[in-house]
Amino acid sequence: QLHTAEEGEDATKFVAATEDGELVYGIWQLPEEEGATHIQSSYSAHYGPVVALERSPFFQDIMLTVGDWTFNVFRGTTTEPVLKSSYSNTYLTTGRFSPTRPGVIFTGRSDGGIEIWDLMDRSHEASLDHNVSPVAVTSMEFWSDASSNVQLLAVGDAQGTLHVLEIPRNLRRAFANEEGLVQTLLDREVGRVDYMRERMTVRGKELSIKEAEDEQKKQAADEAAAQAAAAEIAAKEAAEAAAQALATGEGEVVEEVEEEDGETKKLNKADEAEEARYKKIEDDFKEKIGLA
C-alpha cells in the first residue's frame, strides 16, 4: 500500500504500508549524505500485512491503516496509533474514510460484512454492522451527488460481484462542527498516548529501581543466612570440643582418685603395723612388772 503526496503537499514525501505490518514514512529524493536511505521512519501498525492505507480527506496528518483484526488511526509521525479499534471476529480486508463525515470510518471483513464506525457516536465498537456478500469484501469506493444529496458505496467482493449501497443521511451528513469535535477527540487521544508513553517510561524506571532493591535485599538475606549457618557450625564445633575436653578431664579425675585411694590404702597398712608394734611393747612391759 502506497500513498503519495496530494495537491498542496510536499511531493518529495510518501507514506507506505508493508506486508510486515509497518507504516513507513519516506522521501523520494535521497539525501546527499553517507548511509542515507529513502525511509525516514517506520512504526509497527499491525501483526500481519496492512491491507488498506488512506489519508483523511479532512486532516492531512491523519492516516488510516487496516490489517489483521483491527484498524488504526495515526496522526503525524506518532509512533503509536492515537485510535485503535477493538478486535473484529474475522479478518478485516479493506477500509475507507467517509468523504463527507470526518468522524466516520468504513471497514470490510473477510466474511462479507462491512462495519461502520461513527466516532461521534461511540469509539469502542462499530455503530453499524451490515452483511453485503457471502465472501470476503475486497474493495470499497464512494460516489456522491451533491445536487441530489445521494451518496453511494460500491463494494466489490472476492467473487468479482459489485454491490452498490446507498448511505443513509445520518452517515453522510456531518454534524455541526463535527470537524472541530473530531480534532478535539484526536488531540485528547494524542495527549493520552503521550501520557501513557511517559508513564511507561517512569514505570520502567520504578521497576528497575524495585528490581535493584529486591536484588540488594536478596543479597543481604543470603549473607545473613550464610553468617547464621557459619555461626551454627562454629557453635556445633565448640560444643563438640567442650564435650571432648570434658570427657578427657573425667578420666584424669578418675585416675587421680584411684591414685589417692591407693595412697590411702598404703597409709592405713603402715598405721596398723605401727599400732601392732606398740601394742607388743606394751604387753611385754606389763608382763615384766607382773601386770599381765
Side-chain angles (χ1 to χ4, degrees):
Q1 300 290 331
L2 177 66
H3 184 87
T4 56
E6 298 179 354
E7 185 178 354
E9 298 177 352
D10 188 350
T12 64
K13 296 182 179 181
F14 66 88
V15 183
T18 71
E19 292 184 350
D20 294 328
E22 292 186 334
L23 181 65
V24 179
Y25 292 86
I27 52 176
W28 295 111
Q29 186 176 0
L30 192 64
E32 295 181 358
E33 57 185 40
E34 186 177 355
T37 66
H38 292 283
I39 298 176
Q40 291 184 311
S41 58
S42 62
Y43 312 106
S44 177
H46 299 277
Y47 297 112
V50 179
V51 296
L53 174 67
E54 186 182 19
R55 187 188 300 274
S56 169
F58 300 94
F59 309 101
Q60 291 188 353
D61 59 345
I62 297 298
M63 299 297 298
L64 171 69
T65 65
V66 180
D68 43 65
W69 305 271
T70 62
F71 72 81
N72 294 327
V73 175
F74 286 84
R75 183 178 185 183
T77 56
T78 54
T79 59
E80 300 176 27
V82 295
L83 284 176
K84 183 180 182 69
S85 72
S86 57
Y87 285 84
S88 176
N89 294 328
T90 60
Y91 281 107
L92 300 183
T93 54
T94 187
R96 294 293 302 272
F97 277 114
S98 167
T100 56
R101 284 201 54 191
V104 174
I105 297 172
F106 291 75
T107 59
R109 300 198 307 257
S110 60
D111 63 355
I114 62 172
E115 294 179 352
I116 303 174
W117 292 71
D118 187 351
L119 301 180
M120 295 293 95
D121 176 32
R122 67 194 75 168
S123 59
H124 65 283
E125 63 179 0
S127 301
L128 181 63
D129 188 334
H130 181 68
N131 187 44
V132 177
S133 170
V135 295
V137 172
T138 57
S139 61
M140 294 188 295
E141 189 64 42
F142 288 95
W143 179 86
S144 300
D145 184 1
S147 61
S148 59
N149 291 324
V150 174
Q151 186 178 77
L152 302 178
L153 176 63
V155 180
D157 64 24
Q159 292 180 341
T161 305
L162 174 64
H163 308 266
V164 179
L165 309 177
E166 183 176 354
I167 305 301
R169 179 178 179 182
N170 65 315
L171 292 176
R172 72 171 186 265
R173 185 174 180 180
F175 296 158
N177 193 31
E178 180 173 339
E179 187 172 344
L181 294 174
V182 174
Q183 181 71 52
T184 301
L185 170 65
L186 295 173
D187 290 341
R188 184 179 70 243
E189 291 302 312
V190 168
R192 179 189 63 82
V193 171
D194 291 341
Y195 169 77
M196 291 301 297
R197 186 185 301 111
E198 293 175 0
R199 185 70 188 106
M200 290 300 293
T201 301
V202 173
R203 181 58 181 160
K205 293 180 180 179
E206 292 175 349
L207 184 60
S208 299
I209 294 173
K210 185 177 183 302
E211 289 177 350
E213 292 177 349
D214 292 343
E215 184 64 24
Q216 291 178 354
K217 291 179 180 178
K218 183 177 181 299
Q219 291 179 356
D222 292 342
E223 291 177 359
Q227 292 176 357
E232 184 178 356
I233 293 173
K236 185 176 180 180
E237 292 176 350
E240 291 177 352
Q244 185 177 2
L246 181 61
T248 304
E250 287 178 351
E252 294 176 353
V253 171
V254 170
E255 291 176 357
E256 289 178 358
V257 171
E258 290 179 350
E259 290 177 357
E260 289 179 357
D261 289 344
E263 291 179 358
T264 302
K265 289 179 180 179
K266 292 178 180 180
L267 290 176
N268 289 338
K269 289 181 179 179
D271 291 342
E272 288 176 358
E274 186 69 19
E275 185 176 356
R277 189 172 64 84
Y278 282 123
K279 184 172 179 54
K280 185 177 184 305
I281 294 173
E282 182 180 0
D283 291 341
D284 292 341
F285 179 73
K286 287 180 178 181
E287 186 179 357
K288 286 181 178 182
I289 59 175
L291 293 177

